[in-house]
Amino acid sequence: VVLKIIKHYQEEGQGNEVVQGVLLGLVVDDRLEITNCFPFPQHTEDDADFDEVQYQMEMMRSLRHVNIDHLHVGWYQSTYYGSFVTRALLDSQFSYQHAIEESVVLIYDPIKTAQGSLSLKAYRLTPKLMEVCREKDFSPEALKKANIAYENMFEEVPIVIKNSYLINVMLWELEKKSAVADRHELLSLASSNHLGKSLQLLMDRVDEMSQDIVKYNTYLRNVSKQQQQKHQYQQRRQQENIQRQSRGEPPLPEEDINKLFKPPQPPPRMESLLIAGQINTYCQNIKEFNAQNLGKLFMAQALQDYNN
């Protein structure tokens, strides 16, 4: 499955192009075994008649006919510099997890993998977030009541990769054929382009967070202003009723103040949580980036001392 995912990205993923596919397998005791996968075909706007659901059903039906694991257990997606914490991923994983309780999403990072270590992580939505998504109420009050923060939106599932003997033999053959220089390149420091791109993406997300904070502060000011208008209106009515009572006139009829002053609509806060989660991911990437470079410096120095 891992080799298929890597092959899918190498064939169809270019730059920030995201590739996706279906995971197949079965549940054994307390673990989920992912034993097969197939990609979503790329299609353009001209392919308006393409039906992804129908395509998946036909693929799983064909796999069942040849006695291959065909049970749907999730999906996979590549990521571009770790930018996978999005509303699209949240909605997709909710749909999968709502229909198939044990489903996961595998996130493959080709940029980290190119630096010499396989980057593959599995995520699920937490029960708290599943409940909020089921209610479709992303207001500040609902998220506060559910105690949702970006730290408890996703839960990472540990991964254990097991190869067949034939796959192990093939990997050993590939390693023998690889040039020595290629392996030594893993010790070279990562280019500044990677760090620069990560910092640029981080700054973009911080700008988005700043704009979202401005919107929320505007909402709070509007709420405060409306509360003052309500208070002034109630005071005027109270004074007028006192005057009418002194003249022996009946008081003014009761009115629904909420109809006169419709409360402003609060901005949805789910986007802010996702942006905060993405900022945290970028910060972790930069931290790992610096740690890897430091490790490579120590290794290069150790090799130089050994050669001397």
Side-chain angles (χ1 to χ4, degrees):
V1 173
V2 176
L3 293 176
K4 284 184 177 181
I5 294 174
I6 296 174
K7 183 173 180 288
H8 181 199
Y9 178 81
Q10 290 178 343
E11 291 178 348
E12 298 187 8
Q14 298 293 334
N16 59 354
E17 191 83 18
V18 172
V19 299
Q20 297 176 332
V22 175
L23 299 176
L24 306 172
L26 65 161
V27 178
V28 180
D29 297 330
D30 59 346
R31 67 183 184 276
L32 176 66
E33 292 191 358
I34 300 173
T35 56
N36 199 6
C37 68
F38 62 85
F40 288 147
Q42 287 187 337
H43 55 278
T44 61
E45 296 178 355
D46 298 333
D47 304 329
D49 298 334
F50 180 77
D51 188 345
E52 287 190 359
V53 176
Q54 184 64 26
Y55 171 79
Q56 294 180 39
M57 296 300 294
E58 291 179 359
M59 281 293 296
M60 288 187 286
R61 191 179 300 113
S62 300
L63 292 172
R64 183 177 61 208
H65 289 162
V66 293
N67 200 25
I68 295 179
D69 291 336
H70 61 279
L71 297 179
H72 207 158
V73 295
W75 60 299
Y76 68 84
Q77 174 183 306
S78 65
T79 184
Y80 180 68
Y81 285 95
S83 56
F84 63 90
V85 185
T86 62
R87 185 60 181 272
L89 181 133
L90 176 66
D91 293 339
S92 297
Q93 181 57 25
F94 170 73
S95 299
Y96 274 95
Q97 208 164 317
H98 181 68
I100 309 167
E101 185 178 357
E102 62 272 7
S103 64
V104 299
V105 54
L106 286 182
I107 302 297
Y108 167 64
D109 192 331
I111 297 176
K112 284 186 179 180
T113 302
Q115 297 298 318
S117 60
L118 175 64
S119 178
L120 191 69
K121 294 186 177 181
Y123 292 99
R124 285 170 52 82
L125 302 185
T126 59
K128 288 184 178 180
L129 186 57
M130 283 292 294
E131 187 63 30
V132 171
C133 292
R134 196 175 290 112
E135 297 294 334
K136 296 182 180 180
D137 184 5
F138 304 121
S139 63
E141 292 77 13
L143 295 177
K144 182 179 179 181
K145 182 179 179 181
N147 195 23
I148 294 291
Y150 71 88
E151 297 94 344
N152 56 10
M153 294 176 66
F154 298 92
E155 57 182 356
E156 185 175 351
V157 182
I159 297 177
V160 177
I161 300 176
K162 295 184 179 181
N163 288 337
S164 68
Y165 295 115
L166 291 176
I167 292 294
N168 285 331
V169 171
M170 186 191 75
L171 292 175
W172 279 108
E173 289 294 327
L174 290 175
E175 185 173 358
K176 289 180 181 178
K177 292 179 181 179
S178 64
V180 175
D182 293 337
R183 293 201 293 270
H184 284 175
E185 285 179 0
L186 298 178
L187 291 178
S188 63
L189 297 181
S191 66
S192 59
N193 292 335
H194 294 307
L195 180 59
K197 188 63 178 177
S198 297
L199 289 172
Q200 182 61 50
L201 291 170
L202 175 60
M203 289 188 293
D204 291 342
R205 296 294 87 76
V206 171
D207 289 340
E208 291 179 7
M209 176 64 77
S210 177
Q211 294 173 7
D212 203 67
I213 291 174
V214 170
K215 292 179 182 178
Y216 189 67
N217 288 336
T218 302
Y219 160 74
L220 292 178
R221 286 196 298 269
N222 291 336
V223 170
S224 177
K225 183 178 179 180
Q226 190 182 73
Q227 291 295 334
Q228 292 178 357
Q229 292 175 349
K230 282 183 180 180
H231 183 66
Q232 293 173 358
Y233 176 79
Q234 289 173 337
Q235 283 185 333
R236 287 198 304 268
R237 283 184 63 86
Q238 187 176 6
Q239 292 175 359
E240 188 172 353
N241 281 332
I242 293 175
Q243 293 175 359
R244 290 173 67 90
Q245 187 178 5
S246 65
R247 295 195 299 264
E249 298 176 358
L252 295 172
E254 293 291 335
E255 292 182 348
D256 189 356
I257 195 170
N258 291 325
K259 290 184 178 179
L260 296 175
F261 298 93
K262 292 184 178 179
Q265 191 69 21
R269 301 297 290 166
M270 182 55 70
E271 295 297 333
S272 300
L273 289 178
L274 292 171
I275 294 173
Q278 192 60 70
I279 289 174
N280 182 64
T281 301
Y282 287 143
C283 291
Q284 292 294 331
N285 289 346
I286 294 172
K287 182 179 178 181
E288 293 175 5
F289 177 91
N290 293 330
Q292 287 176 358
N293 279 348
L294 186 61
K296 289 176 182 179
L297 283 173
F298 283 130
M299 182 64 71
Q301 184 64 45
L303 286 174
Q304 184 177 1
D305 293 343
Y306 176 78
N307 291 333
N308 292 337

